[in-house]
Amino acid sequence: MELGLLVGSTLVGMLALALACLAGGEPVAHSIRAASVGGGFIVAALLMDLLDSRRDHLLLPCAALLCCLSTAMLWRLGNAATGEHVEASSQVIWILLGAALMALVYYVIVDVRSLVCLAHSAAFAALALIAATMWLGVGADGSRLWLDLGFVKFQPTELAKVLTVIALAGYIGNLRNGRVAISRQTPAVELRFAVPTLLAVVFCLAIFVLQRDLGLALLFMGLFVAMIYLATGHKGYGVVGLALFIVGVPLAAVLVPAVGEQLNVWLSPWNAADGRGSLVREGMFALAAGGITGSGLGLGMADLIPAARGEFVFAAIAEELGLLGSVAVLLLYAFIAARAYQIAWAATDRFSALLAAGLATMFALQSIIVVAGIVRLIPPTGMMLPFLSYGGTSIVCNFIALGLLMVVARDAMPGRRASGPSA
């Protein structure tokens, strides 16, 4: 079944790339790049099956279809007149590298519960990456999203998200008596959950103010609230945390002029000076122009959308594949999240369940935040759409997260002998 789905995803990707080549007047033979992407996934699946075939067999085809569509869209956004398609070619390399790292994670982690010992190290590493980005990061409009080391430029927060999920799963999973006691009059507020909730709010607001990255702040806040709720079953901490965060955002906009200016551009893109509102405006135009069925791959004006290769790739898809194509992409993300939550439900220990649920929440929240920024529910965030946006850091880290989900699913299968520490 998995092989058939992977072959089907490859054929869809080859068809999409062939249409993009025809629209640009280029040889259809370039569609072989989608075949190389699909072949990489088939090899990765076979390698994982050599170790243990008892894993989830539906996650990988969904990621493969998104990656094949990403390759076709990036090729379409290249320069057909000069034949320059650097982003598409680089994306193929990053996808193949990510698939290889996913298989490597599957081989190296013999028992996922062994990651409990690395929870504190993961937390420190995530904080160090975020702090380094705040201090040394580079970006546009005051946002610091990238670290430029001269020989390589990468987005540390992509790796920090995966490390944060591991750290939260280890911290919360190791707490005894996970459910909070509730008295008949008022809920008992326990410091072990109340203090981390307040620290999470302060930390996320600091990311928003210092990095001017509302998307990342929302993602970390959502991850913390979701995992606290999953571990305790108590809604109070999540409600209080989100309420404090929601109040803190407009307060930060009032106290910090640069943050307030960024929000004003989102609220009034038509009045924004120096073209700063063009990102929001062109995204709206693309959504409107797509209609139900779209203009056709390569036949629209998606190349006029700023950041069409990164954050706003969904707007380009909406214009050229229409509402039907957009909904299909969203359904793929919904299926990945639902499947990951199923893996969490089947896990046999708390750490594995929280890890899988955290990764599922990460994929779901990131997709929701990016799309919400495009449809103007929130300001544009600069975050990458998983498996679809151009970017080596994003692709590689998402495949590492997918590999962790495969390991959790494998270890939860009947007949698997536990060899790691109990959780």
Side-chain angles (χ1 to χ4, degrees):
M1 178 185 63
E2 184 181 38
L3 179 60
L5 291 173
L6 287 173
V7 171
S9 301
T10 304
L11 293 176
V12 171
M14 292 180 67
L15 176 60
L17 191 51
L19 291 174
C21 291
L22 288 173
E26 297 179 279
V28 181
H30 289 304
S31 60
I32 196 68
R33 282 172 170 77
S36 64
V37 172
F41 285 115
I42 293 173
V43 171
L46 291 174
L47 287 174
M48 288 189 289
D49 283 349
L50 286 177
L51 178 65
D52 195 327
S53 62
R54 291 173 294 181
R55 58 177 175 83
D56 187 272
H57 293 278
L58 295 178
L59 280 174
L60 195 56
C62 293
L65 184 54
L66 289 170
C67 288
C68 288
L69 180 58
S70 171
T71 303
M73 185 55 67
L74 289 173
W75 184 274
R76 176 261 175 275
L77 292 170
N79 194 331
T82 60
E84 294 181 359
H85 299 279
V86 178
E87 291 88 356
S89 300
S90 299
Q91 189 80 336
V92 171
I93 295 174
W94 288 117
I95 290 171
L96 294 177
L97 177 60
L101 288 176
M102 175 186 64
L104 182 62
V105 167
Y106 194 77
Y107 269 81
V108 169
I109 303 178
V110 179
D111 193 308
V112 71
R113 292 174 294 177
S114 61
L115 294 179
V116 175
C117 304
L118 302 177
H120 292 90
S121 300
F124 285 121
L127 289 173
L129 287 172
I130 295 172
T133 308
M134 290 181 180
W135 183 31
L136 303 172
V138 296
D141 298 327
S143 60
R144 299 179 176 182
L145 305 176
W146 303 84
L147 274 182
D148 192 350
L149 302 181
F151 61 94
V152 65
K153 184 179 178 181
F154 67 103
Q155 199 167 1
T157 52
E158 292 291 336
L159 180 58
K161 289 181 292 191
V162 181
L163 293 173
T164 300
V165 173
I166 296 174
L168 287 175
Y171 170 74
I172 298 172
N174 280 332
L175 290 177
R176 294 183 179 179
N177 302 321
R179 289 190 172 275
V180 179
I182 301 177
S183 65
R184 293 186 178 181
Q185 285 84 19
T186 57
V189 180
E190 296 188 7
L191 290 179
R192 59 178 175 173
F193 292 116
V195 172
T197 300
L198 292 176
L199 291 176
V201 172
V202 174
F203 174 68
C204 293
L205 288 175
I207 291 176
F208 176 53
V209 173
L210 299 178
Q211 250 183 303
R212 301 183 194 175
D213 191 348
L214 178 61
L216 187 63
L218 278 173
L219 180 63
F220 279 118
M221 194 68 223
L223 277 174
F224 185 85
V225 167
M227 296 187 73
I228 285 289
Y229 172 71
L230 289 170
T232 65
H234 197 292
K235 300 177 183 178
Y237 299 108
V239 172
V240 172
L242 286 177
L244 290 174
F245 182 79
I246 292 172
V247 171
V249 168
L251 183 61
V254 172
L255 298 177
V256 183
V259 174
E261 187 177 353
Q262 185 181 13
L263 292 180
N264 288 332
V265 171
W266 163 62
L267 292 172
S268 303
W270 313 104
N271 301 325
D274 302 327
R276 285 175 295 176
S278 62
L279 184 64
V280 178
R281 293 195 300 267
E282 293 298 334
M284 294 169 61
F285 291 146
L287 293 173
I292 301 297
T293 58
S295 59
L297 195 60
L299 300 177
M301 294 185 289
D303 49 342
L304 299 179
I305 305 172
R309 296 167 178 81
E311 174 191 3
F312 269 63
V313 66
F314 185 80
I317 290 173
E319 179 179 356
E320 302 200 343
L321 299 183
L323 178 64
L324 295 178
S326 304
V327 170
V329 170
L330 293 177
L331 287 175
L332 284 173
Y333 286 119
F335 186 82
I336 289 174
R339 195 68 184 176
Y341 280 121
Q342 263 190 323
I343 293 172
W345 183 262
T348 55
D349 63 280
R350 178 175 294 179
F351 172 76
S352 300
L354 286 172
L355 178 62
L359 294 173
T361 305
M362 183 188 76
F363 282 124
L365 275 179
Q366 188 167 345
S367 306
I368 291 171
I369 290 170
V370 173
V371 175
I374 295 172
V375 300
R376 286 196 67 202
L377 290 177
I378 62 173
T381 60
M383 294 179 66
M384 300 294 109
L385 204 54
F387 304 114
L388 203 54
S389 297
Y390 172 69
T393 313
S394 174
I395 289 291
V396 168
C397 292
N398 284 322
F399 273 109
I400 291 175
L402 201 64
L404 290 173
L405 283 172
M406 296 285 188
V407 173
V408 175
R410 177 198 68 194
D411 292 352
M413 289 292 179
R416 172 84 178 170
R417 185 176 64 182
S419 58
S422 60

